[in-house]
Amino acid sequence: MSLTVGLLALVGCSDTGGPEEPGPGTDGPGVTPGDGSECLGAKFLTTLGKNTLLVGAQMKDETAQAAPFDMRYLYLAAGLFDSRDACQSCASGCTSDGASCSNDGGGCGWWGCWQYDQDPPGAYVRDFIKTTQSKGQIPFITYYEAYQASGYAEGEAQLKALNDAKFLERYLADWRFLLKQVGQEKVLLQIEPDMWAYLQFFPNDGRAQSTPVAVKAANPTDCGGQENNGAGLGRCMIAMVRKYAPNAKVGLHASAWATKTDVSGNTDASFDVAGEANKVADFLLSVGAGDTDFVTVEASDRDAGWYQETTGSAVWWDPENRKLPHFHQAFTWAKAVSARLNKPHLWWQLPVGNMALPNSGKQWRDNRVDYFLTHPGEVAAAGGVGMLFGAGNNDQTTPETDNGNLVKRVKAYKDAGGQPACVKN
């Protein structure tokens, strides 16, 4: 996200051409399965009733019905209720940052009231789960509230809010409220992308224990036994999932820049990619990742063409895997993260652009959709279990503005039978 933008500005240019067009299941050179990591993927998929790599997106209803997607994801990124606990009604007595959550108000910042105000709070999420499941798809929810609700600038400043017991009380109450909306349903939950990276990035020693967090005071009921630091917060939030949403799968986000070296843009062939991945994985283990079900990894929060045209940064991955940065390097990093955590990984928020777009408006060029969906064997060999596509901000290409490319690619991937996990190159 914003820190990634700054880091990627330092990346050297690679081949900006589109990928070649091998059929689904085609594997590239240099990617081999990790020790047992590929079978972790098969086990995970089985728990979801699946046996091939998942494909999904953040998309509108019409798009979700246009191809046989396995998953659909929702982003929760807004404010919190002003009260100590979740509102009982959206129509009266509920405010967020001082604004009424009733329909005749100026717009409610709390996601729990993004709906008709006569419906009980949380209908926005409950309806998303119900609608997604009715299409035979798995709901995936990204919870990204700490920065949005904190009132601080993104990055180091936002971490200060975590040690404000009154803020954290509302934050963890909101997390509890979300989990209660999930209830017994089988939903995938991603907790706070980027936040774990900031907790690793900013302390001089790179330890989660070095950032004070008011965990016990904010939620003595659920988290009274946890440490008052970043590690305690992660463990608290994961434990709350097990308590309030026992059938949900939960994962943390591994950021390629968390160690202050952005591996996704590395151009040094001698760089120890796996060693850097291990540093990120070890940090995530310290905040509770050993008790999760999967880990999310990310390519970029914006289309490569957008970066090139608006910031002058060259962030392309070479689809021929000859010049760094390239796809095989990214898969090597993701594979190492999975192996260290002993968890399969999901590629999340992959850019939606394609090389036939004009590089303007919400139609930017990128090669990730085409590469991932024509090289799923490489994804599987690295321990990946799925690919989720979506715009990182409102200026990016979406499944509705890409001229149908994502839908076409998903159909081709499914028509070819999909990609099983546990298959070696």
Side-chain angles (χ1 to χ4, degrees):
M1 296 177 185
S2 66
L3 181 59
T4 312
V5 174
L7 290 167
L8 288 175
L10 303 176
V11 177
C13 182
S14 71
D15 188 344
T16 59
E20 296 179 3
E21 302 287 333
T26 301
D27 300 332
V31 181
T32 55
D35 294 338
S37 63
E38 73 280 5
C39 291
L40 286 174
K43 181 178 179 181
F44 177 81
L45 291 171
T46 298
T47 67
L48 298 175
K50 303 288 184 177
N51 58 16
T52 59
L53 265 58
L54 307 169
V55 61
Q58 182 182 32
M59 53 193 160
K60 295 182 178 179
D61 289 347
E62 315 84 73
T63 307
Q65 297 176 51
F69 289 97
D70 299 296
M71 303 183 73
R72 184 177 180 184
Y73 79 84
L74 178 71
Y75 223 128
L76 294 183
L80 301 174
F81 40 78
D82 292 333
S83 50
R84 292 181 61 182
D85 208 341
C87 301
Q88 298 299 306
S89 168
C90 296
S92 63
C94 184
T95 62
S96 176
D97 199 22
S100 172
C101 287
S102 65
N103 287 166
D104 57 5
C108 181
W110 179 45
W111 62 266
C113 286
W114 290 350
Q115 62 209 34
Y116 178 47
D117 63 4
Q118 298 300 311
D119 289 336
Y124 175 72
V125 163
R126 295 193 303 273
D127 289 347
F128 167 75
I129 294 172
K130 182 178 180 180
T131 298
T132 301
Q133 291 176 335
S134 72
K135 307 301 181 186
Q137 296 161 353
I138 302 167
F140 181 105
I141 299 174
T142 291
Y143 189 75
Y144 183 64
E145 288 283 336
Y147 157 58
Q148 299 286 341
S150 72
Y152 288 93
E154 185 178 10
E156 185 175 18
Q158 77 182 63
L159 302 180
K160 298 175 183 177
L162 301 179
N163 204 34
D164 179 339
K166 290 184 177 179
F167 169 80
L168 196 65
E169 179 181 36
R170 291 186 296 123
Y171 173 81
L172 290 175
D174 185 58
W175 178 237
R176 183 193 303 115
F177 180 76
L178 169 62
L179 298 177
K180 288 184 176 180
Q181 308 318 299
V182 172
Q184 301 297 315
E185 300 300 330
K186 186 174 288 186
V187 173
L188 272 64
L189 299 168
Q190 178 184 209
I191 304 176
E192 292 292 355
D194 285 354
M195 186 177 76
W196 313 110
Y198 291 137
L199 285 166
Q200 181 176 5
F201 189 99
F202 288 107
N204 290 331
D205 60 5
R207 299 176 67 249
Q209 291 83 354
S210 297
T211 301
V213 180
V215 178
K216 295 181 181 180
N219 188 357
T221 301
D222 298 316
C223 307
Q226 302 292 350
E227 301 174 8
N228 280 321
N229 53 43
L233 178 62
R235 294 178 182 278
C236 165
M237 296 183 76
I238 294 165
M240 289 174 70
V241 175
R242 304 309 186 199
K243 179 177 180 179
Y244 296 107
N247 294 323
K249 306 291 184 184
V250 62
L252 303 182
H253 180 226
S255 298
W257 49 266
T259 61
K260 303 185 182 181
T261 298
D262 186 1
V263 178
S264 66
N266 173 61
T267 58
D268 180 0
S270 66
F271 186 74
D272 185 2
V273 173
E276 208 69 8
N278 288 342
K279 296 176 186 177
V280 176
D282 287 344
F283 179 88
L284 292 178
L285 287 171
S286 77
V287 299
D291 295 323
T292 60
D293 303 292
F294 63 93
V295 62
T296 55
V297 294
E298 183 182 17
S300 173
D301 61 343
R302 291 164 174 80
D303 295 301
W306 180 91
Y307 274 118
Q308 183 172 321
E309 295 296 323
T310 64
T311 72
S313 303
V315 299
W316 296 90
W317 289 354
D318 177 14
E320 295 182 355
N321 293 299
R322 295 174 181 171
K323 183 177 180 179
L324 290 170
H326 52 48
F327 286 83
H328 285 177
Q329 175 174 256
F331 294 151
T332 297
W333 183 86
K335 170 185 165 184
V337 169
S338 274
R340 191 76 153 198
L341 294 178
N342 200 35
K343 308 291 177 185
H345 62 265
L346 271 167
W347 287 93
W348 167 76
Q349 197 175 255
L350 288 166
V352 184
N354 64 77
M355 301 307 293
L357 296 178
N359 245 13
S360 62
K362 294 186 178 182
Q363 294 186 310
W364 302 100
R365 293 175 188 162
D366 204 288
N367 56 15
R368 258 67 74 113
V369 167
D370 291 343
Y371 192 95
F372 272 79
L373 287 172
T374 57
H375 298 76
E378 294 179 22
V379 179
V385 289
M387 303 158 277
L388 297 174
F389 300 89
N393 77 1
N394 291 331
D395 296 327
Q396 305 309 302
T397 312
T398 73
E400 290 72 44
T401 66
D402 75 339
N403 291 344
N405 185 62
L406 177 62
V407 165
K408 179 185 76 173
R409 290 295 189 190
V410 171
K411 286 180 177 178
Y413 167 73
K414 290 291 188 174
D415 286 346
Q419 172 63 54
C422 287
V423 173
K424 298 183 179 182
N425 284 351

